[in-house]
Amino acid sequence: MVHRVIPLLDQRTHALRSATLVDGPLLDQLHRPLHDLRISVTDRCNFRCSYCMPKAVFNKDYPYLPHSALLSFEEITRVARVAVAQGVRKIRLTGGEPLLRKNIELLIAQLAQLHTPDGQPLDLTLTTNGALLARKAQALKDAGLQRLTVSLDGLDDTIFRKMNDVDFPVRDVLDGLEAAHKAGLADIKVNMVVQRGTNDHEILPMARHFKGTGSTLRFIEYMDVGATNGWRMDQVVPSREVLQTLQTQWALRPLAPHTPGETAQRWAYADGSGEVGVISSVTQAFCADCSRARLSTDGKLYLCLFASQGHDLRDLLRGEATDAHLTAAIQHIWQGRSDRYSALRAALPADTGTGARRVEMSYIGG
Ligand code: SAM
Ligand code: SF4
Ligand code: SF4
């Protein structure tokens, strides 16, 4: 007997395929525009930060995506081009560790060609753990990368090696930062996730080290992303506490945000030696202005860092879809968006409240 396989067309995919173009500004259900696209170029990483990819879970048996599942650079650039035409002004490449993606500079060169509808170049940036930066900085800059964020959780080598959990020395990340400066990458941000009892005593040494260097240090509240890091509220150091700690040493004054929806609150050193930032993802939700979408390594569009499901664009990209179809699909997805997890966090149980498992940050990007 011959079994016929009847493909069940996922309702969401069907809705995407049949979406029609709309005119006017693209806004979600809470009237938020789509300005910011984060693109994860790999779900793999050479670190095992326990708050993101704990070793016990992300081991050799972990089902990382096969290469064929990854969007190609051409597919990524196509989504980016369509998204830019719909209002995206800023693209951040992330992961996993984006510098592990082979020839990442070729993707940067393609994205650097894109312009907003009013002719402005795209704000193109990348977040890296810095491990490969010393080797790659010049190629990234030459390809057209303008800005860079380096994650660094402390200067104490013992603590840093323990936090990355692969015994990676802090010196190499600092060398990477120096190489990035030398290559001419301006506006470098340094992100430190603060975990109580792990690296909170590194707040002042980190601030002292980066003050006056031109690199802006930002302290991030440890978030309950994913389903594997065993997050507990008592490990979160609220930004207000970080600011109090900084103010024991330096006078600070608040700065206005560069753009609405900016994740970091900016503070200037009163002595004129630059600024620091705090990202209060847990204690002060910034969902009301959240204009970010995330494209996963395998081409799913996620509307919130805490989502459990994405919208499959790869299926469209690898099918017959024209750019008009793709545009209509992105419009349809964004117009249906009502996510505001952080604003609701206090009222929700530990999971999303739907019983669904949240995706990992290494898969959709930070
Ligand atoms: N591997 C790159 C890196 O570490 O910069 C890029 C990807 S990483 C997922 C992006 C950012 O997310 C990093 O700055 C990292 O510190 C941050 N991150 C990861 N897990 C986090 C968590 N549980 N809470 C807050 N930030 C987190
Ligand atoms: Fe890797 Fe970045 Fe996650 Fe650390 S935070 S495990 S460096 S992806
Ligand atoms: Fe945006 Fe979701 Fe974060 Fe709120 S919780 S700021 S909607 S990504």
Side-chain angles (χ1 to χ4, degrees):
M1 193 171 103
V2 180
H3 290 277
R4 273 204 311 145
V5 179
I6 302 171
L8 272 178
L9 195 61
D10 170 51
Q11 279 184 353
R12 286 156 72 104
T13 307
H14 179 72
L16 291 188
R17 284 190 181 158
S18 53
T20 49
L21 280 172
V22 290
D23 283 333
L26 180 60
L27 297 173
D28 74 3
Q29 295 287 306
L30 302 175
H31 306 287
R32 298 169 296 188
L34 170 60
H35 280 164
D36 186 333
L37 182 63
R38 301 194 176 185
I39 302 175
S40 175
V41 293
T42 175
D43 61 340
R44 292 164 197 253
C45 188
N46 44 1
F47 282 12
R48 285 292 175 274
C49 310
S50 58
Y51 54 70
C52 177
M53 296 181 76
K55 233 179 197 170
V57 177
F58 293 87
N59 53 30
K60 63 175 178 32
D61 299 323
Y62 187 81
Y64 294 104
L65 292 167
H67 194 262
S68 59
L70 272 53
L71 290 193
S72 67
F73 290 168
E74 287 66 30
E75 288 168 335
I76 292 175
T77 305
R78 188 169 168 217
V79 175
R81 190 177 346 100
V82 167
V84 168
Q86 290 303 301
V88 164
R89 300 191 291 235
K90 176 173 168 185
I91 290 188
R92 178 179 296 281
L93 298 179
T94 176
E97 173 45 43
L99 299 190
L100 287 182
R101 180 82 186 251
K102 211 171 155 203
N103 300 326
I104 183 76
E105 55 279 13
L106 298 182
L107 174 62
I108 291 170
Q110 290 179 24
L111 295 174
Q113 301 300 317
L114 300 179
H115 284 80
T116 63
D118 56 355
Q120 298 301 313
L122 209 60
D123 180 2
L124 182 58
T125 183
L126 175 145
T127 304
T128 172
N129 61 25
L132 300 173
L133 191 55
R135 257 180 274 167
K136 287 268 190 180
Q138 193 63 55
L140 299 176
K141 170 70 182 159
D142 294 346
L145 192 72
Q146 296 146 1
R147 306 195 294 117
L148 184 72
T149 299
V150 177
S151 305
L152 178 62
D153 294 331
L155 291 169
D156 180 307
D157 194 50
T158 310
I159 299 202
F160 184 69
R161 285 175 192 258
K162 195 162 163 248
M163 286 187 81
N164 63 54
D165 212 9
V166 292
D167 207 26
F168 194 85
V170 73
R171 184 66 254 165
D172 291 22
V173 179
L174 296 174
D175 288 348
L177 272 164
E178 211 176 300
H181 277 290
K182 280 205 183 119
L185 283 158
D187 191 13
I188 296 176
K189 306 270 187 341
V190 177
N191 278 359
M192 171 178 175
V193 176
V194 187
Q195 260 184 299
R196 195 182 299 285
T198 302
N199 65 340
D200 44 346
H201 54 288
E202 286 286 290
I203 294 171
L204 287 177
M206 283 283 283
R208 213 166 274 128
H209 182 87
F210 287 105
K211 185 173 179 286
T213 60
S215 294
T216 304
L217 178 61
R218 290 142 19 128
F219 298 94
I220 308 183
E221 288 179 351
Y222 172 38
M223 282 187 285
D224 48 337
V225 281
T228 58
N229 64 11
W231 179 89
R232 293 199 323 263
M233 186 66 201
D234 61 8
Q235 295 168 320
V236 178
V237 179
S239 295
R240 125 181 72 74
E241 200 178 311
V242 171
L243 287 169
Q244 279 163 5
T245 305
L246 296 173
Q247 281 164 328
T248 60
Q249 305 296 311
W250 304 286
L252 299 174
R253 61 179 172 78
L255 289 171
H258 285 302
T259 50
E262 197 167 65
T263 50
Q265 289 167 350
R266 303 165 56 220
W267 293 79
Y269 288 107
D271 62 10
S273 59
E275 61 179 88
V276 281
V278 287
I279 302 182
S280 318
S281 342
V282 178
T283 61
Q284 274 176 278
F286 33 76
C287 302
D289 290 322
C290 179
S291 54
R292 283 175 291 284
R294 292 173 162 85
L295 184 65
S296 71
T297 315
D298 57 349
K300 293 197 176 69
L301 197 65
Y302 284 81
L303 303 179
C304 178
L305 190 50
F306 296 89
S308 49
Q309 260 195 311
H311 302 259
D312 191 0
L313 296 182
R314 191 185 63 191
D315 194 50
L316 293 179
L317 290 165
R318 295 189 179 171
E320 304 282 293
T322 61
D323 278 2
H325 286 130
L326 202 53
T327 304
I330 290 175
Q331 288 178 339
H332 174 81
I333 294 167
W334 191 259
Q335 284 176 331
R337 176 185 191 242
S338 58
D339 303 64
R340 53 187 188 115
Y341 172 81
S342 285
L344 301 173
R345 177 189 278 109
L348 286 173
D351 211 324
T352 51
T354 61
R357 188 182 166 94
R358 291 201 291 255
V359 285
E360 296 300 325
M361 199 158 176
S362 50
Y363 163 66
I364 53 167

